Amino acid sequence: MGVLGGRSPPNTPIYLFIMKNRSRFASLIGPPSLYLFLLFLLPMGVMFIYSFRAGISGAAHDTFTLANYQQFITNTHFLRLLWRSALIAFTIAIVSAILAYPLAYYLIFRAGANRVMLMTLLIIPTWTSYLLRIFSWKLILGSSGVLNSLLLAAGLIEKASPILIYSRGAVIVTLVYVWVPFVALPIFAALERIDKNLLEAAADLGCKPWQAFLRVTLPLSLPGILAGFFFALIPTLGEFVTPLLVGGASGSMYGNLVQDQFMRALNWPMGSVMSLAMLAAVLLLVFILTRLGDLSDLAGI
Amino acid sequence: MRTTKYSFIVISLLVLSSMILTACGPKVVTGTLTMLDWSGYELPEFWSDFAATYPQVKVEFSFMSESADSYAKMKSGFQADLVHPCSNFWKIMVDEGMVQPLDTSKISNWKNVNPALAAQGQFNGKQYWAPWDWGFESILVRKDLVQNVPTSWADLWKPEYKGHIALYDSGETAHVITALALGIQDPWSTTPAQDEQIKQKLLELMPNVLTVWSSQTELEQMIASGDVWVAASAWNASYVNMLDQGLDVVYIDPAEGRGGYLCGFAIPTTSKNTKLALAMIDAYLAPSSQAYLANEYGYGIVNTATIPLVDPNTVKLLSLEDQNIISRTVFYKYLTPEQRDAWTSVWSEVKTSK
């Protein structure tokens, strides 16, 4: 009976390679697996148990109940906020991908010798403090900030107003700014792997440059775009720092609610339920989206 | 040979005995003292006596954004030697065994502490809390940016402030100011029907709210930049700081009364540095420290011996001795766990409803 239980194992080269060198793989995968088990799976297990408790101290701590799950499902505002956060995260991931693609394309196809230097320039802002970069957006978008001063000077508005700051838009703008360099990296990697001869061949066959792009470059870079999309989507779904600082009342996300449950309401059971719900949502999303683009392409297997 | 060996022995004995004698002398106290405090109170002017007596002790500050935050931190295992929440959390922390009684005989400044305020820190006949600061929660307004200055908590709901109000991120505060705006006399004994009314009223306020704030610096930045015109539940220190920056602000005396709070120090049960913690409380209660609190932050003080050191203009500015205002101030009362849970849930929901 093979590893897949019942069905005969695949004959792919990679599978056969792993099975032949089992002990070597075990010793390589062992330490990270142990690390993941102790610091990720076990705490998740503790959280799973907490989601069934009635409270965090005294008698409530030892009582187990489904009440938290019931409350989560019946009180629509939790699910509504999860949906809203998913939409925001989606928007951020898509906009980041759209903005990062031309950047990566230019670096690979046009930058030539300056490629490494320009790439470094792209990455440098990520070396500064995350909070500092969010704060800088407060300065740009605020009432007495750069944007307002510019619009006032151009005569487009009469009175300064915090138009963009403390809103959902501010959260999206700030997070797109943070994530574009990260999304550009996998696209950069995917574009670099494209054989230039393919483009030459396309030109020989009579393709105009934009046709060659659509029929050769874009499809081949799709795994990179997908990877970049996930890079941005999954962390932003649980984001709470940026909404806290620039989101205002309308820009709060699911993460803020989880933080409130754990820190202010001391309702760790409810917080656990909410976190597990988000985990389930992300897993579902990843499952659906990976069926659209074969992720094994990314690993190069 | 003999004499050198002899003198060698004598000298070594002398050196050894002098070393032992110096070791028996006064030892320098070392160690670390962990403070769980509001940001702004870590300034050395507040604990100069302690720094002078124990220069080798390392004092570490961890910050709390509200009393509920300190309760949550301690509940999740944070080890502090001193904690500084406000009186609405004093009873809960005592009842749950989170803090230990104070040995006031070790606090030299205790004899001058206002007895009425000290009494608030007594539970089951023991002194658990050393009161330290009290102040107001009121509405801070940029007079130069608004058409009409609000005169009551109920005025916050006026459409003219749409998108320019900042609220303190606390379910308790939200509940209290809404109850006052609705004319409910005692926000701490509301009926479930009144609670529902308060929730609906809060939802109505949300279009006016630009954002919620949890750190004083954050609020002051927003007022200074002009994003926020009306800041709800701002504290005395913000008023003083905004005036210092030359801004045209006014601190309202709402018709329903200002909010009021009394805060103080206690030693968590898990602390192993009781002696140092008591010395630190003593340093904080010293007249120089209390005078700094009153003069620079505009807060009310508890050490009666400090009065001659306090700037009379600041006292007048913040109405710290105006009995008319103080008698109408709604000081925070004890919160039961059920109330804390209920009010925090309502606030969580309202905050994210936009």
Side-chain angles (χ1 to χ4, degrees):
Chain A
M1 196 192 254
V3 157
L4 302 171
R7 283 187 285 145
S8 52
N11 274 331
T12 55
I14 188 75
Y15 183 78
L16 293 169
F17 180 73
I18 293 176
M19 289 317 279
K20 254 190 18 194
N21 297 287
R22 261 191 296 250
S23 54
R24 213 191 298 168
F25 265 93
S27 58
L28 280 176
I29 286 179
S33 307
L34 188 65
Y35 177 90
L36 270 179
F37 176 74
L38 284 176
L39 296 175
F40 181 67
L41 287 177
L42 263 188
M44 289 251 115
V46 171
M47 209 163 64
F48 183 68
I49 296 175
Y50 254 99
S51 66
F52 294 107
R53 292 193 198 275
I56 62 165
S57 59
H61 181 257
D62 301 316
T63 332
F64 289 91
T65 167
L66 282 174
N68 297 313
Y69 282 95
Q70 273 174 326
Q71 201 193 349
F72 181 79
I73 295 172
T74 52
N75 190 340
T76 55
H77 116 272
F78 292 124
L79 289 168
R80 194 168 44 87
L81 204 62
L82 183 58
W83 176 246
R84 188 213 279 182
S85 303
L87 284 178
I88 295 179
F90 235 86
T91 316
I92 291 169
I94 290 178
V95 175
S96 304
I98 292 175
L99 287 179
Y101 196 94
L103 230 84
Y105 187 88
Y106 180 84
L107 281 173
I108 297 290
F109 289 102
R110 298 271 182 274
N114 296 323
R115 181 192 303 187
V116 173
M117 193 247 323
L118 287 172
M119 191 61 182
T120 316
L121 280 178
L122 184 69
I123 301 295
I124 280 181
T126 60
W127 297 352
T128 56
S129 151
Y130 179 62
L131 269 182
L132 216 64
R133 281 180 283 147
I134 303 176
F135 262 105
S136 63
W137 277 100
K138 267 203 193 211
L139 290 175
I140 296 174
L141 298 172
S143 289
S144 44
V146 175
L147 187 64
N148 266 302
S149 310
L150 201 70
L151 292 174
L152 271 173
L156 289 168
I157 54 171
E158 279 168 14
K159 195 174 170 205
S161 75
I163 16 170
L164 203 49
I165 192 99
Y166 305 122
S167 67
R168 216 166 296 174
V171 175
I172 292 176
V173 167
T174 312
L175 283 173
V176 164
Y177 162 73
V178 167
W179 283 101
V180 161
F182 291 104
V183 174
L185 285 175
I187 302 178
F188 182 91
L191 284 173
E192 195 168 23
R193 270 206 299 266
I194 296 176
D195 195 348
K196 304 294 179 288
N197 293 327
L198 289 171
L199 290 169
E200 255 191 57
D204 287 343
L205 288 169
C207 263
K208 299 202 188 61
W210 60 270
Q211 280 176 320
F213 172 77
L214 279 178
R215 294 173 128 218
V216 179
T217 321
L218 195 60
L220 285 176
S221 61
L222 211 57
I225 300 175
L226 226 71
F229 177 79
F230 280 124
F231 265 34
L233 179 71
I234 294 171
T236 46
L237 197 58
E239 178 73 45
F240 70 95
V241 177
T242 308
L244 202 63
L245 291 170
V246 299
S250 60
S252 41
M253 289 173 72
Y254 194 70
N256 297 108
L257 214 57
V258 176
Q259 185 202 22
D260 269 351
Q261 291 297 325
F262 274 107
M263 288 306 289
R264 288 215 172 81
L266 290 180
N267 195 347
W268 297 359
M270 195 63 216
S272 304
V273 171
M274 294 179 69
S275 309
L276 290 170
M278 189 176 82
L279 182 66
V282 170
L283 288 174
L284 187 69
L285 206 63
V286 170
F287 179 80
I288 294 175
L289 290 174
T290 49
R291 291 292 161 265
L292 298 175
D294 207 335
L295 268 185
S296 62
D297 269 309
L298 296 167
I301 298 171
Chain B
M1 261 315 260
R2 236 193 182 147
T3 38
T4 9
K5 193 174 167 189
Y6 178 69
S7 48
F8 176 71
I9 293 175
V10 168
I11 290 170
S12 349
L13 279 173
L14 277 173
V15 171
L16 206 65
S17 50
S18 59
M19 275 170 64
I20 294 172
L21 282 173
T22 34
C24 288
K27 264 196 291 227
V28 178
V29 179
T30 55
T32 315
L33 193 71
T34 312
M35 309 275 298
L36 184 54
D37 210 340
W38 302 80
S39 92
Y41 294 150
E42 73 280 12
L43 298 178
E45 286 87 340
F46 286 121
W47 46 285
S48 49
D49 283 357
F50 185 88
T53 323
Y54 299 103
Q56 300 283 47
V57 173
K58 188 156 170 284
V59 181
E60 278 177 1
F61 280 89
S62 216
F63 297 120
M64 47 190 272
S65 62
E66 54 172 312
S67 304
D69 191 17
S70 68
Y71 178 79
K73 285 197 163 107
M74 282 172 63
K75 256 289 192 270
S76 43
F78 184 80
Q79 306 280 11
D81 295 305
L82 273 177
V83 65
H84 188 180
C86 300
S87 57
N88 50 336
F89 268 81
W90 287 1
K91 187 167 192 300
I92 278 191
M93 287 191 172
V94 171
D95 285 345
E96 295 195 12
M98 292 163 77
V99 293
Q100 49 177 294
L102 301 172
D103 184 359
T104 53
S105 64
K106 300 267 183 348
I107 304 176
S108 65
N109 287 302
W110 189 254
K111 53 187 189 300
N112 292 320
V113 171
N114 185 327
L117 296 176
Q120 293 212 28
Q122 271 175 21
F123 295 91
N124 313 322
K126 298 207 191 88
Q127 188 74 41
Y128 280 88
W129 297 91
W132 188 66
D133 56 312
W134 64 270
F136 299 116
E137 280 189 4
S138 189
I139 308 171
L140 188 60
V141 185
R142 282 287 298 263
K143 227 168 38 176
D144 53 335
L145 295 174
V146 294
Q147 293 266 18
N148 306 299
V149 176
T151 54
S152 66
W153 290 108
D155 276 351
L156 289 175
W157 273 256
K158 284 200 183 148
E160 65 178 282
Y161 306 121
K162 189 166 156 92
H164 287 282
I165 293 187
L167 290 182
Y168 184 42
D169 195 359
S170 154
E172 211 179 328
T173 309
H175 180 100
V176 170
I177 63 175
T178 315
L180 291 176
L182 283 171
I184 298 172
Q185 296 291 17
D186 184 8
W188 283 271
S189 35
T190 46
T191 63
Q194 283 176 321
D195 282 338
E196 187 53 41
Q197 220 188 340
I198 290 177
K199 181 171 167 187
Q200 291 310 315
K201 184 84 175 157
L202 259 177
L203 283 166
E204 281 165 38
L205 183 59
M206 288 319 282
N208 280 11
V209 175
L210 180 67
T211 186
V212 296
W213 64 275
S214 54
S215 104
Q216 194 181 306
T217 328
E218 195 189 341
L219 178 68
E220 288 170 14
Q221 265 170 2
M222 295 193 286
I223 299 174
S225 72
D227 290 332
V228 166
W229 299 347
V230 177
S233 304
W235 307 322
N236 308 22
S238 294
Y239 182 35
V240 171
N241 288 340
M242 296 290 93
L243 284 175
D244 281 347
Q245 282 192 32
L247 291 169
D248 190 8
V249 288
V250 60
Y251 198 53
I252 310 289
D253 176 27
E256 304 94 338
R258 288 179 175 172
Y261 56 86
L262 169 70
C263 311
F265 292 95
I267 306 176
T269 331
T270 50
S271 167
K272 298 195 178 37
N273 292 318
T274 332
K275 181 160 165 280
L276 289 175
L278 285 167
M280 186 55 113
I281 295 181
D282 203 11
Y284 266 87
L285 283 173
S288 59
S289 166
Q290 289 263 284
Y292 191 79
L293 180 67
N295 292 330
E296 298 303 314
Y297 290 22
Y299 283 127
I301 52 171
V302 308
N303 186 336
T304 49
T306 320
I307 309 286
L309 296 169
V310 178
D311 173 22
N313 289 327
T314 315
V315 173
K316 221 158 70 106
L317 189 72
L318 270 310
S319 323
L320 292 174
E321 278 170 13
D322 185 340
Q323 284 312 315
N324 174 36
I325 289 192
I326 295 179
S327 60
R328 286 171 35 240
T329 301
V330 181
F331 280 92
Y332 276 93
K333 288 203 198 144
Y334 305 128
L335 211 58
T336 65
E338 294 75 32
Q339 282 174 324
R340 183 192 70 226
D341 280 343
W343 298 359
T344 319
S345 309
V346 166
W347 178 234
S348 258
E349 223 181 290
V350 168
K351 246 196 317 186
T352 53
S353 65
K354 247 182 159 188

